[in-house]
Amino acid sequence: MSYEAEKEIVLNFYKALSDAEESAHSDVIAEYCAEDLLWRGFHPFNELRGASNVAQKFWQPLNHSLTNLQRRMDVFMAGQNEIDGFNSVWVVSMGHLMGLFDKDWLGIAPTGKMALLRYCEFNWIEHGKIVETAMYFDIPHFMIQAGLQPFPPQTAAQLVQPGPMTHDGLMFTPQPAEDGQKTLAAINAMISDLGRWDSGLSLEDELRRTWCEDMIWWGPSGIGATYTIERYAKQHAGPFRAGFADRSKTNHICRIAEGHYGGFFGWPNFTARPTGGFMGMPATDKAGEFRVIDIYRRKGDKLAENWIFIDLLHFWKQQGVDILDRMTHGGS
């Protein structure tokens, strides 16, 4: 399959949304999305139902706050969803929404300067409409640009994250089917290893089974980005495993690949119980949900780059710490 029709729907939707006045967003979303659209976004938006509700709760306030909003895509792909037996077709885009931060958003004070909202979006296309969306975005990354410090010092690097090193992530034209199959196989092999935590190998050697030695892990703000297997193990994977127990099995809603790229999302992907130390926070011993999107670039038969979106605001709110409220209203 080429997925060109599904890709065109999403691209036309993006253009119409960009061209529309703030007051017309409801009409645009109603035109391209099913009336009972299911939209999942990170805290504080969570699960929204209905095109008009999504316009009023997310798109209109965002456009009101970030004037001259533009979408800067780094990855654009489509594929059939492995999770439902390759029946549904999803279109994925990843990059940044950029604008002038002129009015407050979610209680975050404006800067009058350009700001980037790092995002990734999965759209299920059926009968010519978007029927389900997972729109995940890095609000702590946005907070830091506005001068806030939502988390203790992180283990990896805080950066504005670029797209793929190879600059070939925008797949507007069909890709060889075998490339997508190889990418999906590499992702599945990594998931199999990741879910075990008991391979008998050192963490670095376990990672070498499915990752390139010079891998790049573009993590969310609060954790950060890290480079090479050795530093990834030291700066994220090792501390994460040490800070959690009782990790549940992986549970994805969608998993696709096209060309050398692929990814997945869950709601949540898994649960785990913090035993202390993760992100500089104390143990709560209370299992929490991890809502995650992962996007990957494959090189050869291994994974070379990974962009990760984790709803850390939701996770820590479950642990009794409302990061967003604390940063904007001085809450606990």
Side-chain angles (χ1 to χ4, degrees):
M1 290 182 64
S2 68
Y3 314 116
E4 288 193 75
E6 290 85 0
K7 288 179 179 179
E8 186 176 8
I9 289 166
V10 172
L11 290 172
N12 289 342
F13 171 55
Y14 288 170
K15 185 178 188 307
L17 203 57
S18 176
D19 292 346
E21 297 291 328
E22 189 180 312
S23 59
H25 286 146
S26 290
D27 293 337
V28 170
I29 295 173
E31 179 182 352
Y32 287 93
C33 301
E35 186 177 349
D36 62 346
L37 169 72
L38 173 58
W39 188 95
R40 294 182 173 101
F42 279 1
H43 176 80
F45 299 96
N46 302 303
E47 212 168 81
L48 300 176
R49 177 69 77 168
S52 62
N53 202 23
V54 173
Q56 292 164 17
K57 298 279 180 63
F58 180 72
W59 282 112
Q60 287 174 353
L62 183 66
N63 276 266
H64 185 70
S65 299
L66 283 178
T67 58
N68 291 355
L69 189 70
Q70 64 174 235
R71 185 183 298 260
R72 302 174 62 87
M73 290 195 297
D74 295 311
V75 173
F76 185 76
M77 62 182 173
Q80 291 165 283
N81 181 9
E82 180 185 32
I83 303 303
D84 65 9
F86 301 101
N87 285 314
S88 57
V89 174
W90 294 70
V91 179
V92 178
S93 78
M94 185 198 80
H96 296 83
L97 299 175
M98 187 190 83
L100 295 168
F101 189 19
D102 287 340
K103 298 181 179 68
D104 78 277
W105 186 58
L106 304 178
I108 304 167
T111 63
K113 301 174 183 178
M114 51 191 299
L116 295 154
L117 180 63
R118 181 174 170 259
Y119 85 94
C120 188
E121 184 178 49
F122 278 63
N123 291 295
W124 176 9
I125 313 298
E126 190 172 59
H127 307 305
K129 296 272 189 176
I130 299 168
V131 298
E132 188 172 320
T133 296
M135 177 73 174
Y136 292 5
F137 30 79
D138 195 337
I139 294 173
H141 186 267
F142 189 88
M143 289 179 176
I144 291 170
Q145 294 170 68
L148 302 175
Q149 292 297 329
F151 297 115
Q154 60 192 30
T155 52
Q158 170 66 29
L159 303 166
V160 171
Q161 299 188 0
M165 188 180 78
T166 47
H167 298 282
D168 58 355
L170 297 174
M171 290 170 279
F172 301 121
T173 56
Q175 305 295 308
E178 57 271 21
D179 285 347
Q181 291 163 5
K182 288 178 182 176
T183 303
L184 196 57
I187 292 171
N188 284 330
M190 179 276 305
I191 292 170
S192 177
D193 280 358
L194 186 66
R196 292 172 61 193
W197 287 22
D198 61 354
S199 65
L201 301 171
S202 70
L203 176 55
E204 289 86 349
D205 284 344
E206 178 190 310
L207 293 166
R208 288 186 177 100
R209 287 160 48 96
T210 55
W211 292 93
C212 296
E213 195 68 37
D214 60 349
M215 65 172 287
I216 308 175
W217 194 84
W218 300 107
S221 288
I223 300 172
T226 185
Y227 172 46
T228 73
I229 283 178
E230 185 264 332
R231 296 298 167 87
Y232 170 64
K234 179 180 179 181
Q235 295 173 351
H236 173 63
F240 185 84
R241 293 191 185 194
F244 284 91
D246 302 331
R247 186 192 192 279
S248 72
K249 291 184 177 180
T250 300
N251 182 35
H252 294 153
I253 291 174
C254 178
R255 190 185 305 155
I256 70 163
E258 185 179 26
H260 287 78
Y261 294 82
F264 52 71
F265 82 90
W267 188 263
N269 290 45
F270 64 93
T271 61
R273 180 172 56 86
T275 55
F278 178 61
M279 294 178 63
M281 301 289 202
T284 65
D285 281 328
K286 180 183 177 183
E289 296 177 344
F290 283 84
R291 301 166 171 174
V292 183
I293 280 179
D294 274 72
I295 300 296
Y296 300 89
R297 177 175 69 85
R298 174 181 58 83
K299 179 182 178 183
D301 61 354
K302 294 185 178 181
L303 301 172
E305 288 190 87
N306 182 197
W307 295 261
I308 305 91
F309 299 78
I310 305 174
D311 196 348
L312 293 172
L313 298 183
H314 172 66
F315 175 81
W316 287 115
K317 192 169 190 297
Q318 289 186 305
Q319 307 305 312
V321 183
D322 192 329
I323 302 292
L324 182 60
D325 184 59
R326 187 174 68 181
M327 286 294 98
T328 57
H329 301 106
S332 59

